[in-house]
Amino acid sequence: MRELIAAVRPALAQADIVPDRRGKPWLRGRPGLGISVSHSQGALAAGVAAGRALGVDVQRPAPSVTASFTRRLLHEHAQQLAALPPARAAEEVAWVWTAQEACVKADGTGFAGRPWTIDVPPGARTGRWGDYRRISLRDHSPTPLSCAFPTAETLRKGTR
């Protein structure tokens, strides 16, 4: 994380990283620099964004997922995964989950933001959730990895 901070804002590389009341990391006294970190079974993702909030999430897929879990995350899209082999369906669920989780991390609400309610269709690479834009890095990472951040219009309005 410190290497990323140094690349974006070298003068802040040694600033204290502390959790807010919900556990989201931030730099003490530097709310203008968004940071986020995630880990899953040996995979690690971290991000730094100047002038905006940020959420990142990485998730190693389970060997398989239950139909009820898939429905909980994908709602009406769940049936699209029914014909896939179990490992491929589980991988797609992991991609969806990283997009959902990145959004609530960027928002700072975490599980209280109810990530499973965010509509992310299978195969999606980009999308929006309220004032946030999400990107799944499907073309750049073999492990499901997504990030989310406030849209440019939200930043212009000064609401995030």
mmCIF file of all heavy atoms in Angstrom, residues 56-79:
data_model
loop_
_atom_site.group_PDB
_atom_site.id
_atom_site.type_symbol
_atom_site.label_atom_id
_atom_site.label_comp_id
_atom_site.label_asym_id
_atom_site.label_seq_id
_atom_site.Cartn_x
_atom_site.Cartn_y
_atom_site.Cartn_z
ATOM 1 N N VAL A 56 -11.724 -1.726 -3.799
ATOM 2 C CA VAL A 56 -11.218 -2.836 -4.605
ATOM 3 C C VAL A 56 -11.597 -4.135 -3.911
ATOM 4 O O VAL A 56 -11.696 -4.193 -2.682
ATOM 5 C CB VAL A 56 -9.681 -2.795 -4.838
ATOM 6 C CG1 VAL A 56 -9.272 -1.537 -5.576
ATOM 7 C CG2 VAL A 56 -8.909 -2.937 -3.557
ATOM 8 N N ASP A 57 -11.828 -5.173 -4.707
ATOM 9 C CA ASP A 57 -12.099 -6.481 -4.134
ATOM 10 C C ASP A 57 -11.546 -7.560 -5.043
ATOM 11 O O ASP A 57 -11.668 -7.472 -6.271
ATOM 12 C CB ASP A 57 -13.591 -6.705 -3.915
ATOM 13 C CG ASP A 57 -13.831 -7.879 -2.973
ATOM 14 O OD1 ASP A 57 -13.385 -7.800 -1.811
ATOM 15 O OD2 ASP A 57 -14.433 -8.875 -3.398
ATOM 16 N N VAL A 58 -10.920 -8.554 -4.437
ATOM 17 C CA VAL A 58 -10.391 -9.721 -5.139
ATOM 18 C C VAL A 58 -10.985 -10.949 -4.460
ATOM 19 O O VAL A 58 -11.183 -10.947 -3.247
ATOM 20 C CB VAL A 58 -8.840 -9.743 -5.132
ATOM 21 C CG1 VAL A 58 -8.279 -9.889 -3.728
ATOM 22 C CG2 VAL A 58 -8.301 -10.821 -6.049
ATOM 23 N N GLN A 59 -11.287 -11.977 -5.243
ATOM 24 C CA GLN A 59 -11.915 -13.162 -4.671
ATOM 25 C C GLN A 59 -11.504 -14.410 -5.444
ATOM 26 O O GLN A 59 -11.785 -14.523 -6.633
ATOM 27 C CB GLN A 59 -13.444 -13.016 -4.734
ATOM 28 C CG GLN A 59 -14.202 -14.153 -4.112
ATOM 29 C CD GLN A 59 -14.035 -14.205 -2.609
ATOM 30 O OE1 GLN A 59 -14.171 -13.198 -1.939
ATOM 31 N NE2 GLN A 59 -13.729 -15.358 -2.080
ATOM 32 N N ARG A 60 -10.851 -15.326 -4.766
ATOM 33 C CA ARG A 60 -10.582 -16.620 -5.382
ATOM 34 C C ARG A 60 -11.904 -17.389 -5.419
ATOM 35 O O ARG A 60 -12.599 -17.468 -4.409
ATOM 36 C CB ARG A 60 -9.566 -17.406 -4.575
ATOM 37 C CG ARG A 60 -8.214 -16.762 -4.564
ATOM 38 C CD ARG A 60 -7.224 -17.607 -5.314
ATOM 39 N NE ARG A 60 -5.890 -17.106 -5.062
ATOM 40 C CZ ARG A 60 -5.049 -16.820 -6.016
ATOM 41 N NH1 ARG A 60 -5.399 -16.996 -7.270
ATOM 42 N NH2 ARG A 60 -3.851 -16.379 -5.738
ATOM 43 N N PRO A 61 -12.269 -17.952 -6.559
ATOM 44 C CA PRO A 61 -13.540 -18.676 -6.650
ATOM 45 C C PRO A 61 -13.536 -19.943 -5.803
ATOM 46 O O PRO A 61 -12.514 -20.606 -5.647
ATOM 47 C CB PRO A 61 -13.649 -19.043 -8.126
ATOM 48 C CG PRO A 61 -12.693 -18.142 -8.831
ATOM 49 C CD PRO A 61 -11.603 -17.830 -7.857
ATOM 50 N N ALA A 62 -14.699 -20.270 -5.283
ATOM 51 C CA ALA A 62 -14.901 -21.554 -4.596
ATOM 52 C C ALA A 62 -14.950 -22.636 -5.673
ATOM 53 O O ALA A 62 -15.153 -22.338 -6.854
ATOM 54 C CB ALA A 62 -16.212 -21.512 -3.824
ATOM 55 N N PRO A 63 -14.783 -23.906 -5.315
ATOM 56 C CA PRO A 63 -14.886 -24.983 -6.314
ATOM 57 C C PRO A 63 -16.275 -25.042 -6.958
ATOM 58 O O PRO A 63 -16.417 -25.391 -8.122
ATOM 59 C CB PRO A 63 -14.593 -26.258 -5.521
ATOM 60 C CG PRO A 63 -13.863 -25.803 -4.301
ATOM 61 C CD PRO A 63 -14.356 -24.415 -4.006
ATOM 62 N N SER A 64 -17.298 -24.706 -6.172
ATOM 63 C CA SER A 64 -18.667 -24.660 -6.687
ATOM 64 C C SER A 64 -19.480 -23.770 -5.753
ATOM 65 O O SER A 64 -19.022 -23.408 -4.672
ATOM 66 C CB SER A 64 -19.274 -26.065 -6.753
ATOM 67 O OG SER A 64 -19.366 -26.613 -5.454
ATOM 68 N N VAL A 65 -20.674 -23.399 -6.196
ATOM 69 C CA VAL A 65 -21.575 -22.590 -5.375
ATOM 70 C C VAL A 65 -22.971 -23.191 -5.443
ATOM 71 O O VAL A 65 -23.330 -23.835 -6.424
ATOM 72 C CB VAL A 65 -21.614 -21.111 -5.834
ATOM 73 C CG1 VAL A 65 -20.312 -20.409 -5.530
ATOM 74 C CG2 VAL A 65 -21.953 -20.995 -7.300
ATOM 75 N N THR A 66 -23.731 -22.977 -4.396
ATOM 76 C CA THR A 66 -25.096 -23.498 -4.377
ATOM 77 C C THR A 66 -26.018 -22.618 -5.213
ATOM 78 O O THR A 66 -25.743 -21.430 -5.422
ATOM 79 C CB THR A 66 -25.642 -23.570 -2.943
ATOM 80 O OG1 THR A 66 -25.735 -22.232 -2.431
ATOM 81 C CG2 THR A 66 -24.740 -24.420 -2.043
ATOM 82 N N ALA A 67 -27.105 -23.198 -5.643
ATOM 83 C CA ALA A 67 -28.093 -22.444 -6.418
ATOM 84 C C ALA A 67 -28.688 -21.316 -5.577
ATOM 85 O O ALA A 67 -28.920 -20.210 -6.081
ATOM 86 C CB ALA A 67 -29.191 -23.376 -6.914
ATOM 87 N N SER A 68 -28.897 -21.545 -4.280
ATOM 88 C CA SER A 68 -29.480 -20.495 -3.438
ATOM 89 C C SER A 68 -28.517 -19.318 -3.264
ATOM 90 O O SER A 68 -28.934 -18.157 -3.280
ATOM 91 C CB SER A 68 -29.902 -21.057 -2.074
ATOM 92 O OG SER A 68 -28.785 -21.539 -1.365
ATOM 93 N N PHE A 69 -27.225 -19.607 -3.123
ATOM 94 C CA PHE A 69 -26.238 -18.522 -3.019
ATOM 95 C C PHE A 69 -26.182 -17.734 -4.328
ATOM 96 O O PHE A 69 -26.154 -16.505 -4.333
ATOM 97 C CB PHE A 69 -24.862 -19.097 -2.674
ATOM 98 C CG PHE A 69 -23.811 -18.043 -2.469
ATOM 99 C CD1 PHE A 69 -23.825 -17.247 -1.342
ATOM 100 C CD2 PHE A 69 -22.807 -17.859 -3.404
ATOM 101 C CE1 PHE A 69 -22.856 -16.259 -1.147
ATOM 102 C CE2 PHE A 69 -21.835 -16.882 -3.215
ATOM 103 C CZ PHE A 69 -21.863 -16.084 -2.082
ATOM 104 N N THR A 70 -26.192 -18.447 -5.449
ATOM 105 C CA THR A 70 -26.171 -17.787 -6.757
ATOM 106 C C THR A 70 -27.391 -16.884 -6.916
ATOM 107 O O THR A 70 -27.271 -15.743 -7.373
ATOM 108 C CB THR A 70 -26.114 -18.842 -7.883
ATOM 109 O OG1 THR A 70 -24.936 -19.635 -7.701
ATOM 110 C CG2 THR A 70 -26.072 -18.199 -9.249
ATOM 111 N N ARG A 71 -28.557 -17.351 -6.512
ATOM 112 C CA ARG A 71 -29.773 -16.525 -6.596
ATOM 113 C C ARG A 71 -29.666 -15.297 -5.703
ATOM 114 O O ARG A 71 -30.122 -14.218 -6.074
ATOM 115 C CB ARG A 71 -31.007 -17.338 -6.211
ATOM 116 C CG ARG A 71 -31.535 -18.214 -7.311
ATOM 117 C CD ARG A 71 -32.915 -18.775 -6.991
ATOM 118 N NE ARG A 71 -32.981 -19.465 -5.703
ATOM 119 C CZ ARG A 71 -32.645 -20.748 -5.510
ATOM 120 N NH1 ARG A 71 -32.222 -21.475 -6.520
ATOM 121 N NH2 ARG A 71 -32.735 -21.281 -4.311
ATOM 122 N N ARG A 72 -29.063 -15.455 -4.540
ATOM 123 C CA ARG A 72 -28.941 -14.322 -3.618
ATOM 124 C C ARG A 72 -28.098 -13.194 -4.218
ATOM 125 O O ARG A 72 -28.385 -12.022 -4.034
ATOM 126 C CB ARG A 72 -28.348 -14.767 -2.295
ATOM 127 C CG ARG A 72 -28.256 -13.623 -1.326
ATOM 128 C CD ARG A 72 -27.959 -14.062 0.064
ATOM 129 N NE ARG A 72 -28.006 -12.884 0.908
ATOM 130 C CZ ARG A 72 -28.460 -12.869 2.116
ATOM 131 N NH1 ARG A 72 -28.935 -13.955 2.644
ATOM 132 N NH2 ARG A 72 -28.444 -11.767 2.815
ATOM 133 N N LEU A 73 -27.040 -13.551 -4.941
ATOM 134 C CA LEU A 73 -26.168 -12.533 -5.530
ATOM 135 C C LEU A 73 -26.642 -12.043 -6.891
ATOM 136 O O LEU A 73 -26.466 -10.884 -7.238
ATOM 137 C CB LEU A 73 -24.744 -13.073 -5.684
ATOM 138 C CG LEU A 73 -23.960 -13.390 -4.429
ATOM 139 C CD1 LEU A 73 -22.538 -13.780 -4.793
ATOM 140 C CD2 LEU A 73 -23.966 -12.241 -3.454
ATOM 141 N N LEU A 74 -27.190 -12.943 -7.685
ATOM 142 C CA LEU A 74 -27.513 -12.622 -9.075
ATOM 143 C C LEU A 74 -28.991 -12.388 -9.355
ATOM 144 O O LEU A 74 -29.351 -11.984 -10.457
ATOM 145 C CB LEU A 74 -26.990 -13.735 -9.990
ATOM 146 C CG LEU A 74 -25.476 -13.746 -10.099
ATOM 147 C CD1 LEU A 74 -24.959 -15.133 -10.367
ATOM 148 C CD2 LEU A 74 -25.052 -12.797 -11.186
ATOM 149 N N HIS A 75 -29.843 -12.701 -8.417
ATOM 150 C CA HIS A 75 -31.291 -12.490 -8.549
ATOM 151 C C HIS A 75 -31.806 -13.070 -9.864
ATOM 152 O O HIS A 75 -31.622 -14.250 -10.109
ATOM 153 C CB HIS A 75 -31.621 -11.006 -8.369
ATOM 154 C CG HIS A 75 -30.999 -10.438 -7.142
ATOM 155 N ND1 HIS A 75 -31.495 -10.672 -5.884
ATOM 156 C CD2 HIS A 75 -29.864 -9.701 -6.967
ATOM 157 C CE1 HIS A 75 -30.725 -10.090 -4.988
ATOM 158 N NE2 HIS A 75 -29.720 -9.492 -5.607
ATOM 159 N N GLU A 76 -32.415 -12.238 -10.703
ATOM 160 C CA GLU A 76 -33.004 -12.747 -11.952
ATOM 161 C C GLU A 76 -31.954 -13.224 -12.960
ATOM 162 O O GLU A 76 -32.284 -13.918 -13.905
ATOM 163 C CB GLU A 76 -33.919 -11.709 -12.607
ATOM 164 C CG GLU A 76 -33.206 -10.511 -13.198
ATOM 165 C CD GLU A 76 -32.945 -9.391 -12.206
ATOM 166 O OE1 GLU A 76 -33.254 -9.537 -11.010
ATOM 167 O OE2 GLU A 76 -32.407 -8.357 -12.635
ATOM 168 N N HIS A 77 -30.703 -12.893 -12.761
ATOM 169 C CA HIS A 77 -29.633 -13.344 -13.661
ATOM 170 C C HIS A 77 -29.119 -14.741 -13.311
ATOM 171 O O HIS A 77 -28.356 -15.329 -14.064
ATOM 172 C CB HIS A 77 -28.446 -12.379 -13.628
ATOM 173 C CG HIS A 77 -28.795 -10.966 -13.923
ATOM 174 N ND1 HIS A 77 -29.256 -10.558 -15.154
ATOM 175 C CD2 HIS A 77 -28.741 -9.853 -13.146
ATOM 176 C CE1 HIS A 77 -29.479 -9.250 -15.119
ATOM 177 N NE2 HIS A 77 -29.169 -8.809 -13.916
ATOM 178 N N ALA A 78 -29.516 -15.278 -12.167
ATOM 179 C CA ALA A 78 -28.972 -16.552 -11.682
ATOM 180 C C ALA A 78 -29.187 -17.692 -12.665
ATOM 181 O O ALA A 78 -28.312 -18.551 -12.823
ATOM 182 C CB ALA A 78 -29.587 -16.905 -10.335
ATOM 183 N N GLN A 79 -30.302 -17.706 -13.349
ATOM 184 C CA GLN A 79 -30.583 -18.806 -14.271
ATOM 185 C C GLN A 79 -29.568 -18.887 -15.410
ATOM 186 O O GLN A 79 -29.363 -19.951 -15.987
ATOM 187 C CB GLN A 79 -32.002 -18.698 -14.814
ATOM 188 C CG GLN A 79 -32.253 -17.435 -15.609
ATOM 189 C CD GLN A 79 -33.717 -17.262 -15.961
ATOM 190 O OE1 GLN A 79 -34.521 -18.161 -15.769
ATOM 191 N NE2 GLN A 79 -34.056 -16.092 -16.468
#
